[in-house]
Amino acid sequence: NYSLYYVTLENETWTLVRFMHDTGKTWYAKGKIWFSIRDTEDMPISLYEIKIFPINESRWNMARIDKVNGRVWFSQGQDWIEIEEEK
């Protein structure tokens, strides 16, 4: 249950992103190697979706949502950071 995304930027660089919909696990390719985006906890089986968007001509970022409970994360380096609810 994987998806593969091809990310291109204005400076003509590109990368691949591999994503598992049921676990939220995500990797990006750098050269011939897959690097994982780490979670701070074990993610439950659910239904996840990612969005990839450019920041500028040479950088991109990702957001991930658990479509069952609404939890959201953004990628920072090689880590997923959860966006917490207001207290």
Side-chain angles (χ1 to χ4, degrees), residues 23-64:
T23 65
K25 292 185 185 296
T26 311
W27 303 261
Y28 68 94
K30 194 170 192 180
K32 296 180 181 179
I33 298 173
W34 287 108
F35 293 91
S36 63
I37 307 295
R38 297 177 293 250
D39 283 295
T40 57
E41 63 185 274
D42 290 334
M43 301 303 293
I45 299 299
S46 193
L47 179 58
Y48 298 92
E49 181 180 308
I50 62 171
K51 298 290 184 187
I52 303 169
F53 49 92
I55 296 172
N56 58 36
E57 67 178 28
S58 61
R59 293 182 57 219
W60 53 277
N61 206 341
M62 292 185 289
R64 176 180 69 183

Side-chain angles (χ1 to χ4, degrees), residues 48-86:
Y48 298 92
E49 181 180 308
I50 62 171
K51 298 290 184 187
I52 303 169
F53 49 92
I55 296 172
N56 58 36
E57 67 178 28
S58 61
R59 293 182 57 219
W60 53 277
N61 206 341
M62 292 185 289
R64 176 180 69 183
I65 187 168
D66 181 331
K67 295 179 79 173
V68 173
N69 63 29
R71 292 173 68 191
V72 175
W73 300 260
F74 66 94
S75 62
Q76 185 174 51
Q78 282 187 247
D79 297 310
W80 283 116
I81 308 297
E82 186 169 7
I83 300 172
E84 296 183 14
E85 296 292 331
E86 181 179 35

